[in-house]
Amino acid sequence: MTAQFPTSDTVSYDTKSDTKARDLPKAVDLAVVGAGPAGLAAATLAASAGLSVLLLDENAGPGGQVYRAITTSPLGEGRVLGPDYWSGAALAREMLASGATYVPGATVWSLSRELELGVSVGGQAHLVQARRVILATGALERPMPIPGWTLPGVMTAGGAQTLLKSSGLVPEGRIVLAGCGPLLWLLAAQYLEAGVRLEAILDTTARENWRAALPEAFGFLTSPYFRKGLALLRKVRAAVRIISGVTTLAAEGDESVTAVRYATAGGESGRIELDTLLLHQGVVPNVNLANAAGIPLVWDAEQLCFRPDVDAAGTSPVAGLAVAGDGAGIGGALGAAERGRLAALAAIAALKPGAPVLAQRPQVEAALHKALRGRAFLDRLYRPADGFRRPAPDTIACRCEEVTARQVTETVALGCAGPNQLKSFLRTGMGPCQGRMCGLTISELMAEAQGVTPAEIGYYRLRAPVKPISVAELASLPKDESAMKSVERG
Amino acid sequence: MAIAPARPDVLVIGGGLHGCSTALHLARRGIKALVIEKDHAGRHASGVNAGGVRRLGRAFPEVPLSVAAMALWHAIGDLVDDDCGFESHGQVKVAESAADLAVLAARVAKLNDLGFTHEELIGADELRRLLPAVAPHCVGGIVSRADGAALPYRTVLAFRNAAIRAGARFLEGAPAGPPVRAGGLWRVPVGDQVHEAPVLVNAAGAWADRIAAALGEPVPLEVIAPMLMITARMPAFVTPVVGATARPLSFKQFANGTVLIGGGHRGVAERDRNATALDFAKLAFNARTAAEIFPIMAGAQIMRAWAGIEARMPDDLPVIGPSIASEAAYHAFGFSAHGFQLGPIVGAILADLIATGTSALPIAPFSIARFAQAAAKAG
């Protein structure tokens, strides 16, 4: 269903690493998980201060999601992905020159409270002990559970953007975008720049969100995102049919999606035939590793998501463990790099108290303050509507186990206390997504059914492995004598 | 502190399966229990264990109780008005060597002498008929065909809800303070109230040693964290629950294709934090065992691992029966990671003891007195 997009030459410098699992250090000063903006900035700064730094990332090259394939994208440094995307190249270049040990293709599947990481590279599992750890695991797209969202041909906008960035691929046929949030408009603009035709954008931004966001508008006017955002909206609005105030959406089709039905707050309704439906309603922190390592989650009522309980520098209640970037709460790519630097400074302060680089802290804090301007405006404007977060009874809430919203509320009626107990009834959160595509939906549905807030109902207790690992891979861990002694009976 | 109104007949400390079952069986006799649970019912070992419903391979003193419990499991809907997810596809213990098989043969012979016939010795052919995917080196085993598995948390909740319908009350999110006997009543502080009742039941699981100590009979309870792993869906390859003979394993495939691996090495329990920590070096050992007995498992993707907090006694036998040091107090704890199947019958035993002073089942081996004697000898 995808077509190769015409590309310019690939970026020339090589970032391939020869580091294999057997070469992984057994112990390091600082382990950084994730090579997006936060992880790149953190690893670079810490390595420059003389710490031994291990940067682990599961992708083939640095950049994370926002700067995905920054060193290898077939689209070249052209206009399609825009100058903001290519600004990530500097972060990647600095990291590669910093002396940090960078291991791509590395899956971190566990982290203990004692800061021992479980890592797999090339099918081989290893344990690495760190003195400090910075988690820069970034964001995930918020689930958008509409009727028919599991049909082939329905994708997330983020998934589509990943294909564009890493492979220059765009879906074939008629494309409709639906939802809300900056990434939806950015993808639309990137598609237009690439000459891709869009049938329509179904904008689910609620009209009352504008009223709620207005008091924060001044902050946004001075934000680095303002000019870019405005230009981007203008460009997309001029070229694509926009249907605003959409309140209901349903994907239709038997074997794959063939149409989308919609209705608006203004009473308009319609049906658009299509081949690909791209959904998006914002991003939320990827909390699995942080929570599995023992950092409690707190409900963020402004961003409508759970995030790890950390302070502004990313410091967590688990000694030596910090979270930086969007994984600690959504703040965007520019802020993520500064938050990575703040977390690195905390690690440097702990391990090299006299390091001259520590004097940079006020500048980093000022840059972070500037980067976060306007965030409250975006949070409120693009707050996803209740009906798109808590699906109708017959809509699937958990894709892995095909559990509907009705099954969730019926199980609450049996007395099921919360998401962790629901697992035992319906296996929600126990499938391959490990809760990433259902967690928020389940917490919100259960909270509504019990008449409490998501803060009270809580989230899945997340445990390792936070990424699937094969039995053979786990079995490849070096044998440990102490393991032989503690035998369980029964 | 205020005395709580509505005095029950029995205070049950601990809302795990044994506490819930005790409250249910008491209620069926018209005896009103108040269950005091520090978290929520089934929060720890009762709700997150492997769900094995197994007579197979039990220590001999437990066999009569386990056989009686199995009769209740096969009619569990009559008891709690819920099927608890119970399915009976048998349990198999695999012999990986001739030596294993000899151990199992001796065990079956002794069980037969005691009058029990639920365990059956099988050879290589029947083993492969039951477990087509088993590794070539496995030579036979034992099977208990009417054993099975259930869903742990669903089971605890069903017992809790049935107990409530029958007249029991539950206080959840309510940590019990040390019980004190005064004026013919047990008094248990909970928050700013004191609950009173003539009879006390200690079903506090991994925290039960603290209650026992308050009753004047300390026990050598070890807090353990059995670890479990679950995989992504696999093609159907095994129906019974499977264990091994010479090394620890419990292995089960659900109807949806996911595989549960448990019963192996343990993680680390931190009961004062209500938390467990996984030990991946030890989980790796469990993974190797699973893949060696079922080679198809090498490619299975592990989706999740977890551990529960459980109490283990030095002899791996539970404590069931009256307190020796205090009057009108009873224990049901220390099930040492194999108490789930016994839950339905242990509640009945405690209700019998409380109502009539006696049980028809042989519970003498589980008396807390065995630790008093050990302490006296040591002293």
PDB file of all heavy atoms in Angstrom, chain B residues 290-310:
ATOM      1  N   ALA B 290      12.170 -23.840  30.633  1.00  0.00           N
ATOM      2  CA  ALA B 290      10.985 -23.927  29.774  1.00  0.00           C
ATOM      3  C   ALA B 290      11.379 -24.344  28.366  1.00  0.00           C
ATOM      4  O   ALA B 290      10.747 -25.212  27.753  1.00  0.00           O
ATOM      5  CB  ALA B 290      10.265 -22.580  29.755  1.00  0.00           C
ATOM      6  N   ALA B 291      12.437 -23.753  27.834  1.00  0.00           N
ATOM      7  CA  ALA B 291      12.837 -24.027  26.451  1.00  0.00           C
ATOM      8  C   ALA B 291      13.452 -25.420  26.325  1.00  0.00           C
ATOM      9  O   ALA B 291      13.397 -26.022  25.256  1.00  0.00           O
ATOM     10  CB  ALA B 291      13.826 -22.967  25.972  1.00  0.00           C
ATOM     11  N   GLU B 292      14.028 -25.937  27.406  1.00  0.00           N
ATOM     12  CA  GLU B 292      14.603 -27.285  27.334  1.00  0.00           C
ATOM     13  C   GLU B 292      13.515 -28.352  27.374  1.00  0.00           C
ATOM     14  O   GLU B 292      13.644 -29.392  26.743  1.00  0.00           O
ATOM     15  CB  GLU B 292      15.627 -27.492  28.459  1.00  0.00           C
ATOM     16  CG  GLU B 292      16.955 -26.802  28.125  1.00  0.00           C
ATOM     17  CD  GLU B 292      17.890 -26.670  29.317  1.00  0.00           C
ATOM     18  OE1 GLU B 292      17.713 -27.381  30.319  1.00  0.00           O
ATOM     19  OE2 GLU B 292      18.809 -25.832  29.224  1.00  0.00           O
ATOM     20  N   ILE B 293      12.437 -28.101  28.084  1.00  0.00           N
ATOM     21  CA  ILE B 293      11.369 -29.104  28.156  1.00  0.00           C
ATOM     22  C   ILE B 293      10.417 -28.961  26.965  1.00  0.00           C
ATOM     23  O   ILE B 293       9.878 -29.941  26.462  1.00  0.00           O
ATOM     24  CB  ILE B 293      10.655 -29.016  29.517  1.00  0.00           C
ATOM     25  CG1 ILE B 293      11.653 -29.442  30.607  1.00  0.00           C
ATOM     26  CG2 ILE B 293       9.401 -29.896  29.549  1.00  0.00           C
ATOM     27  CD1 ILE B 293      11.110 -29.442  32.001  1.00  0.00           C
ATOM     28  N   PHE B 294      10.208 -27.717  26.502  1.00  0.00           N
ATOM     29  CA  PHE B 294       9.404 -27.478  25.295  1.00  0.00           C
ATOM     30  C   PHE B 294      10.231 -26.647  24.308  1.00  0.00           C
ATOM     31  O   PHE B 294      10.218 -25.416  24.376  1.00  0.00           O
ATOM     32  CB  PHE B 294       8.104 -26.747  25.634  1.00  0.00           C
ATOM     33  CG  PHE B 294       7.112 -27.592  26.359  1.00  0.00           C
ATOM     34  CD1 PHE B 294       6.911 -27.444  27.710  1.00  0.00           C
ATOM     35  CD2 PHE B 294       6.393 -28.572  25.676  1.00  0.00           C
ATOM     36  CE1 PHE B 294       5.996 -28.245  28.387  1.00  0.00           C
ATOM     37  CE2 PHE B 294       5.477 -29.373  26.344  1.00  0.00           C
ATOM     38  CZ  PHE B 294       5.275 -29.205  27.709  1.00  0.00           C
ATOM     39  N   PRO B 295      10.954 -27.290  23.388  1.00  0.00           N
ATOM     40  CA  PRO B 295      11.854 -26.549  22.487  1.00  0.00           C
ATOM     41  C   PRO B 295      11.136 -25.439  21.708  1.00  0.00           C
ATOM     42  O   PRO B 295      11.755 -24.419  21.379  1.00  0.00           O
ATOM     43  CB  PRO B 295      12.376 -27.643  21.549  1.00  0.00           C
ATOM     44  CG  PRO B 295      12.288 -28.903  22.354  1.00  0.00           C
ATOM     45  CD  PRO B 295      11.084 -28.754  23.221  1.00  0.00           C
ATOM     46  N   ILE B 296       9.846 -25.594  21.431  1.00  0.00           N
ATOM     47  CA  ILE B 296       9.094 -24.572  20.705  1.00  0.00           C
ATOM     48  C   ILE B 296       9.129 -23.231  21.453  1.00  0.00           C
ATOM     49  O   ILE B 296       8.978 -22.171  20.869  1.00  0.00           O
ATOM     50  CB  ILE B 296       7.627 -25.027  20.511  1.00  0.00           C
ATOM     51  CG1 ILE B 296       6.884 -24.066  19.571  1.00  0.00           C
ATOM     52  CG2 ILE B 296       6.881 -25.142  21.826  1.00  0.00           C
ATOM     53  CD1 ILE B 296       5.440 -24.446  19.308  1.00  0.00           C
ATOM     54  N   MET B 297       9.413 -23.283  22.757  1.00  0.00           N
ATOM     55  CA  MET B 297       9.386 -22.070  23.563  1.00  0.00           C
ATOM     56  C   MET B 297      10.572 -21.146  23.308  1.00  0.00           C
ATOM     57  O   MET B 297      10.544 -19.979  23.688  1.00  0.00           O
ATOM     58  CB  MET B 297       9.348 -22.424  25.054  1.00  0.00           C
ATOM     59  CG  MET B 297       8.008 -22.903  25.540  1.00  0.00           C
ATOM     60  SD  MET B 297       6.742 -21.637  25.320  1.00  0.00           S
ATOM     61  CE  MET B 297       7.314 -20.400  26.481  1.00  0.00           C
ATOM     62  N   ALA B 298      11.630 -21.644  22.669  1.00  0.00           N
ATOM     63  CA  ALA B 298      12.819 -20.805  22.480  1.00  0.00           C
ATOM     64  C   ALA B 298      12.464 -19.505  21.765  1.00  0.00           C
ATOM     65  O   ALA B 298      12.992 -18.442  22.067  1.00  0.00           O
ATOM     66  CB  ALA B 298      13.880 -21.578  21.696  1.00  0.00           C
ATOM     67  N   GLY B 299      11.529 -19.584  20.810  1.00  0.00           N
ATOM     68  CA  GLY B 299      11.174 -18.392  20.048  1.00  0.00           C
ATOM     69  C   GLY B 299      10.044 -17.580  20.657  1.00  0.00           C
ATOM     70  O   GLY B 299       9.665 -16.553  20.092  1.00  0.00           O
ATOM     71  N   ALA B 300       9.501 -18.022  21.780  1.00  0.00           N
ATOM     72  CA  ALA B 300       8.368 -17.304  22.377  1.00  0.00           C
ATOM     73  C   ALA B 300       8.805 -15.926  22.856  1.00  0.00           C
ATOM     74  O   ALA B 300       9.896 -15.762  23.401  1.00  0.00           O
ATOM     75  CB  ALA B 300       7.806 -18.109  23.542  1.00  0.00           C
ATOM     76  N   GLN B 301       7.963 -14.938  22.629  1.00  0.00           N
ATOM     77  CA  GLN B 301       8.264 -13.577  23.078  1.00  0.00           C
ATOM     78  C   GLN B 301       7.671 -13.364  24.466  1.00  0.00           C
ATOM     79  O   GLN B 301       6.458 -13.500  24.654  1.00  0.00           O
ATOM     80  CB  GLN B 301       7.647 -12.560  22.113  1.00  0.00           C
ATOM     81  CG  GLN B 301       8.268 -12.574  20.732  1.00  0.00           C
ATOM     82  CD  GLN B 301       9.660 -11.969  20.736  1.00  0.00           C
ATOM     83  OE1 GLN B 301       9.883 -10.901  21.297  1.00  0.00           O
ATOM     84  NE2 GLN B 301      10.598 -12.661  20.121  1.00  0.00           N
ATOM     85  N   ILE B 302       8.508 -12.995  25.426  1.00  0.00           N
ATOM     86  CA  ILE B 302       8.015 -12.715  26.775  1.00  0.00           C
ATOM     87  C   ILE B 302       7.463 -11.295  26.803  1.00  0.00           C
ATOM     88  O   ILE B 302       8.154 -10.335  26.462  1.00  0.00           O
ATOM     89  CB  ILE B 302       9.134 -12.880  27.814  1.00  0.00           C
ATOM     90  CG1 ILE B 302       9.625 -14.324  27.793  1.00  0.00           C
ATOM     91  CG2 ILE B 302       8.636 -12.502  29.208  1.00  0.00           C
ATOM     92  CD1 ILE B 302      10.971 -14.492  28.448  1.00  0.00           C
ATOM     93  N   MET B 303       6.205 -11.173  27.183  1.00  0.00           N
ATOM     94  CA  MET B 303       5.527  -9.875  27.184  1.00  0.00           C
ATOM     95  C   MET B 303       5.598  -9.196  28.541  1.00  0.00           C
ATOM     96  O   MET B 303       5.540  -7.985  28.646  1.00  0.00           O
ATOM     97  CB  MET B 303       4.045 -10.075  26.848  1.00  0.00           C
ATOM     98  CG  MET B 303       3.814 -10.457  25.428  1.00  0.00           C
ATOM     99  SD  MET B 303       4.375  -9.121  24.373  1.00  0.00           S
ATOM    100  CE  MET B 303       4.967 -10.060  23.008  1.00  0.00           C
ATOM    101  N   ARG B 304       5.625 -10.013  29.569  1.00  0.00           N
ATOM    102  CA  ARG B 304       5.484  -9.434  30.882  1.00  0.00           C
ATOM    103  C   ARG B 304       6.001 -10.427  31.910  1.00  0.00           C
ATOM    104  O   ARG B 304       5.854 -11.635  31.740  1.00  0.00           O
ATOM    105  CB  ARG B 304       3.996  -9.153  31.139  1.00  0.00           C
ATOM    106  CG  ARG B 304       3.707  -8.339  32.354  1.00  0.00           C
ATOM    107  CD  ARG B 304       2.206  -8.072  32.454  1.00  0.00           C
ATOM    108  NE  ARG B 304       1.860  -7.840  33.842  1.00  0.00           N
ATOM    109  CZ  ARG B 304       2.041  -6.685  34.459  1.00  0.00           C
ATOM    110  NH1 ARG B 304       2.504  -5.646  33.813  1.00  0.00           N
ATOM    111  NH2 ARG B 304       1.749  -6.547  35.731  1.00  0.00           N
ATOM    112  N   ALA B 305       6.604  -9.908  32.951  1.00  0.00           N
ATOM    113  CA  ALA B 305       7.013 -10.741  34.073  1.00  0.00           C
ATOM    114  C   ALA B 305       6.571 -10.042  35.348  1.00  0.00           C
ATOM    115  O   ALA B 305       6.493  -8.822  35.389  1.00  0.00           O
ATOM    116  CB  ALA B 305       8.534 -10.939  34.069  1.00  0.00           C
ATOM    117  N   TRP B 306       6.256 -10.792  36.384  1.00  0.00           N
ATOM    118  CA  TRP B 306       5.851 -10.176  37.631  1.00  0.00           C
ATOM    119  C   TRP B 306       6.115 -11.136  38.782  1.00  0.00           C
ATOM    120  O   TRP B 306       6.524 -12.270  38.565  1.00  0.00           O
ATOM    121  CB  TRP B 306       4.381  -9.741  37.600  1.00  0.00           C
ATOM    122  CG  TRP B 306       3.373 -10.844  37.587  1.00  0.00           C
ATOM    123  CD1 TRP B 306       2.735 -11.379  38.675  1.00  0.00           C
ATOM    124  CD2 TRP B 306       2.880 -11.560  36.443  1.00  0.00           C
ATOM    125  NE1 TRP B 306       1.881 -12.386  38.260  1.00  0.00           N
ATOM    126  CE2 TRP B 306       1.947 -12.523  36.918  1.00  0.00           C
ATOM    127  CE3 TRP B 306       3.130 -11.498  35.083  1.00  0.00           C
ATOM    128  CZ2 TRP B 306       1.270 -13.380  36.070  1.00  0.00           C
ATOM    129  CZ3 TRP B 306       2.455 -12.369  34.236  1.00  0.00           C
ATOM    130  CH2 TRP B 306       1.539 -13.292  34.726  1.00  0.00           C
ATOM    131  N   ALA B 307       5.902 -10.658  39.975  1.00  0.00           N
ATOM    132  CA  ALA B 307       6.089 -11.496  41.159  1.00  0.00           C
ATOM    133  C   ALA B 307       5.059 -11.111  42.197  1.00  0.00           C
ATOM    134  O   ALA B 307       4.606  -9.965  42.234  1.00  0.00           O
ATOM    135  CB  ALA B 307       7.504 -11.312  41.720  1.00  0.00           C
ATOM    136  N   GLY B 308       4.660 -12.062  43.016  1.00  0.00           N
ATOM    137  CA  GLY B 308       3.748 -11.781  44.120  1.00  0.00           C
ATOM    138  C   GLY B 308       4.501 -11.858  45.436  1.00  0.00           C
ATOM    139  O   GLY B 308       5.646 -12.313  45.475  1.00  0.00           O
ATOM    140  N   ILE B 309       3.859 -11.386  46.507  1.00  0.00           N
ATOM    141  CA  ILE B 309       4.482 -11.481  47.835  1.00  0.00           C
ATOM    142  C   ILE B 309       3.792 -12.607  48.594  1.00  0.00           C
ATOM    143  O   ILE B 309       2.581 -12.588  48.770  1.00  0.00           O
ATOM    144  CB  ILE B 309       4.353 -10.154  48.625  1.00  0.00           C
ATOM    145  CG1 ILE B 309       4.954  -9.010  47.813  1.00  0.00           C
ATOM    146  CG2 ILE B 309       5.025 -10.278  49.983  1.00  0.00           C
ATOM    147  CD1 ILE B 309       4.902  -7.674  48.533  1.00  0.00           C
ATOM    148  N   GLU B 310       4.574 -13.576  49.038  1.00  0.00           N
ATOM    149  CA  GLU B 310       4.014 -14.796  49.604  1.00  0.00           C
ATOM    150  C   GLU B 310       4.809 -15.191  50.840  1.00  0.00           C
ATOM    151  O   GLU B 310       5.977 -14.814  50.990  1.00  0.00           O
ATOM    152  CB  GLU B 310       4.073 -15.888  48.509  1.00  0.00           C
ATOM    153  CG  GLU B 310       3.890 -17.308  48.933  1.00  0.00           C
ATOM    154  CD  GLU B 310       2.474 -17.652  49.387  1.00  0.00           C
ATOM    155  OE1 GLU B 310       1.757 -16.751  49.875  1.00  0.00           O
ATOM    156  OE2 GLU B 310       2.094 -18.826  49.265  1.00  0.00           O
TER     157      GLU B 310
END
